[in-house]
């Protein structure tokens, strides 16, 4: 017991700006023996990460793979230092922090069907700078999103969104930027409301984020979004509405363990003012500040994303935009996503806090009332 207390005191005072209190840490670690006995009864939880087909990964060597099943850190010394500075991640305490979160889950949510392996839980700790409580809330939000939006998560696998990928709605550029951040390229103008429901775009986006977050590099560096609004008109702008917009923003901000470091908007039409009026009320101030509007000024874009990693379509020198490589990568990971998403409801039997990510149908009514006012802004901008 004395060893525990000494270690915990050091852990509580490690410089995380007061986010870890000794009493909270003691509570977690002193209940470890209880949690372990509960883990023995936690048979519905698969502690392993989903299998990854090595042959599929080998064909796409430009995109890094996930950590090995038995976790071993794959970060370079530079990224270890970056994680220490930006995320308060201490290599010497990393696995202890993971175990603390695991014990917390088993104690507070013993019925939650979730992965408990080190690599998976590290995503949530890194996304919330190793704050146990916030990481736990993010994990609950992650699963609550699936329950609140079944039309997105039911039977979610790459083959069901092939039509979205074929349209060229999204891709990931093959080279990261100088900060090591992969660039998610969205082209909403490629979608027409008569083609398929907007929710299919969200499905493809979510699968892409799930693949992007697997490598530890992405967990530390975050990602950058490049949204090309060429061809976006009134039909695309008004179709999702604020209720869907709010759900998408809620998932990206509070329901998924990824760090979005910048959102670069290019070729936005006049109507974008109306589109942003729908989105902005749901954005946190920090996220809203990361939106950068470039218009058609590629020189402005190149100040944020260098030409070296951009395709020719955006004034870059990295060749033509390839929409097929990322599509093939996702489709070759079909079995991996079946294991991850085509399973029973992870929240069945789980009692969630009163205040969760989504507010349900009452919020839908309020958002639709707001949309009536915003729609007039859209028509005015158009």
């Amino acid at each position: 017991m004395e060893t525990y207390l000494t270690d915990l005191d050091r852990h509580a005072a490690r410089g995380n700006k007061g986010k870890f209190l000794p009493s909270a840490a003691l509570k977690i670690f002193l209940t470890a023996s209880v949690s372990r006995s509960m883990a023995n009864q936690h048979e519905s939880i698969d502690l392993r990460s989903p299998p990854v087909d090595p042959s599929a990964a080998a064909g796409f060597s430009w995109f890094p793979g996930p950590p090995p099943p038995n976790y071993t850190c794959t970060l370079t010394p530079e990224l270890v230092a970056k994680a220490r500075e930006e995320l308060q991640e201490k290599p010497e305490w990393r696995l202890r922090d993971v175990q603390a979160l695991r014990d917390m889950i088993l104690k507070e949510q013993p019925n939650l069907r979730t992965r408990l392996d080190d690599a998976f839980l590290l995503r949530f700790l890194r996304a919330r700078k190793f704050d146990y409580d916030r990481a736990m809330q993010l994990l609950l939000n992650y699963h609550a999103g699936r329950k609140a939006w079944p039309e997105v998560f039911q039977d979610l696998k790459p083959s069901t969104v092939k039509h979205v990928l074929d349209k060229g709605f999204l891709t990931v550029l093959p080279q990261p930027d100088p900060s090591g951040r992969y660039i998610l390229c969205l082209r909403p103008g490629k979608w027409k409301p008569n083609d398929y429901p907007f929710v299919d775009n969200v499905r493809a986006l979510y699968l892409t984020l799930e693949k992007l977050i697997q490598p530890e590099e992405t967990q530390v560096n975050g990602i950058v979004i490049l949204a090309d609004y060429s061809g976006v008109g009134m039909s695309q702008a008004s179709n999702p509405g604020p209720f869907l917009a709010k759900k998408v923003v809620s998932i990206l901000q509070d329901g998924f363990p990824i760090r979005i470091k910048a959102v670069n908007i290019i070729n936005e039409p006049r109507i974008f003012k109306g589109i942003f009026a729908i989105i902005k009320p749901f954005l946190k101030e920090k996220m809203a500040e990361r939106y950068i509007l470039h218009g058609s000024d590629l020189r402005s874009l190149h100040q944020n994303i260098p030409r070296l990693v951009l395709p020719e379509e955006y004034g870059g020198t990295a060749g033509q935009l390839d929409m097929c490589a990322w599509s093939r990568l996702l489709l070759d990971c079909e079995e991996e996503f079946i294991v991850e998403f085509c399973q029973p409801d992870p929240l069945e039997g789980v009692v969630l806090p009163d205040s969760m990510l989504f507010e349900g149908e009452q919020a839908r009514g309020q958002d639709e009332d707001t949309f009536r006012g915003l729609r007039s802004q859209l028509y005015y901008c158009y």
Side-chain angles (χ1 to χ4, degrees), residues 343-364:
Q343 303 294 331
D345 180 7
L347 292 179
E348 184 177 351
V350 175
V351 178
L352 295 173
D354 293 336
S355 177
M356 286 301 295
L357 185 61
F358 303 108
E359 292 86 355
E361 292 302 315
Q362 182 177 0
R364 173 190 285 270

Side-chain angles (χ1 to χ4, degrees), residues 71-87:
Y71 177 76
T72 302
C73 181
T74 59
L75 297 175
T76 64
E78 294 76 18
L79 285 178
V80 168
K82 183 176 183 178
R84 182 187 291 270
E85 179 181 353
E86 296 185 8
L87 308 181

Side-chain angles (χ1 to χ4, degrees), residues 186-192 227-233 236 265-269 272 295-296 313-314:
L186 302 175
R187 302 197 297 171
K190 295 295 180 180
W191 169 71
K192 302 294 186 291
D228 179 3
Y229 272 76
S230 298
V232 171
Q236 291 103 327
I265 310 293
I266 63 171
N267 299 321
E268 68 272 18
F272 184 80
S296 58
E313 287 83 347
Y314 303 125

Side-chain angles (χ1 to χ4, degrees), residues 65-84 89-92 94-95 98 118-119 122 126 130 214-217 219-220:
N70 295 322
Y71 177 76
T72 302
C73 181
T74 59
L75 297 175
T76 64
E78 294 76 18
L79 285 178
V80 168
K82 183 176 183 178
R84 182 187 291 270
E89 177 177 343
K90 306 289 193 295
E92 61 271 24
R94 183 187 293 123
L95 294 183
V98 170
D118 296 345
L122 265 175
R126 285 170 172 153
F130 282 75
Q214 286 184 352
E216 292 192 284
E217 297 96 315
Q219 296 168 28
V220 174

Side-chain angles (χ1 to χ4, degrees), residues 197-233:
F198 175 79
V199 73
D200 288 1
N201 294 328
V202 182
R203 287 164 64 85
L205 174 61
Y206 199 90
L207 287 172
T208 292
L209 293 176
E210 282 285 350
K211 195 64 187 173
L212 277 172
I213 200 56
Q214 286 184 352
E216 292 192 284
E217 297 96 315
T218 302
Q219 296 168 28
V220 174
N221 292 324
I223 65 169
V224 170
I225 294 177
L226 171 60
D228 179 3
Y229 272 76
S230 298
V232 171

Side-chain angles (χ1 to χ4, degrees), residues 38-246:
M38 293 174 64
N40 294 332
Q41 304 171 15
H42 212 252
E43 297 176 355
S44 62
I45 292 180
D46 186 357
L47 300 179
R48 300 166 297 173
S49 58
V52 178
D53 184 357
S55 62
F60 302 97
S61 57
W62 61 271
F63 187 74
N70 295 322
Y71 177 76
T72 302
C73 181
T74 59
L75 297 175
T76 64
E78 294 76 18
L79 285 178
V80 168
K82 183 176 183 178
R84 182 187 291 270
E85 179 181 353
E86 296 185 8
L87 308 181
Q88 285 79 54
E89 177 177 343
K90 306 289 193 295
E92 61 271 24
W93 284 314
R94 183 187 293 123
L95 294 183
R96 180 188 298 178
D97 290 338
V98 170
Q99 185 60 46
L101 179 59
R102 184 183 295 119
D103 291 344
M104 195 172 178
I105 295 166
L106 291 171
K107 182 177 185 296
E108 298 183 12
Q109 299 292 346
N111 296 319
L112 181 65
R113 297 186 181 97
T114 186
R115 285 173 53 186
L116 291 176
D117 56 280
D118 296 345
F120 181 74
L121 296 183
L122 265 175
R123 301 177 188 179
F124 295 87
L125 285 167
R126 285 170 172 153
R128 292 298 180 262
K129 299 186 177 182
F130 282 75
D131 182 321
Y132 300 157
D133 291 330
R134 294 178 65 223
M136 177 73 167
Q137 184 64 54
L138 178 60
L139 178 68
L140 290 176
N141 287 348
Y142 174 82
H143 288 297
R146 302 190 192 187
K147 189 177 185 69
W149 210 351
E151 59 268 38
V152 168
F153 295 98
Q154 185 175 4
D155 195 32
L156 183 59
K157 52 190 177 182
S159 60
T160 63
V161 297
K162 186 176 183 299
H163 56 289
V164 179
L165 302 172
D166 290 344
K167 279 285 185 182
F169 178 81
L170 61 76
T171 191
V172 174
L173 302 187
Q175 297 183 54
D177 70 7
S179 298
R181 305 173 299 194
Y182 276 95
I183 301 166
L184 170 58
C185 181
L186 302 175
R187 302 197 297 171
K190 295 295 180 180
W191 169 71
K192 302 294 186 291
N194 292 333
D195 293 339
Y196 54 81
F198 175 79
V199 73
D200 288 1
N201 294 328
V202 182
R203 287 164 64 85
L205 174 61
Y206 199 90
L207 287 172
T208 292
L209 293 176
E210 282 285 350
K211 195 64 187 173
L212 277 172
I213 200 56
Q214 286 184 352
E216 292 192 284
E217 297 96 315
T218 302
Q219 296 168 28
V220 174
N221 292 324
I223 65 169
V224 170
I225 294 177
L226 171 60
D228 179 3
Y229 272 76
S230 298
V232 171
M234 187 65 196
S235 60
Q236 291 103 327
S238 61
N239 187 276
F243 187 68
L244 291 183
K246 183 177 182 179

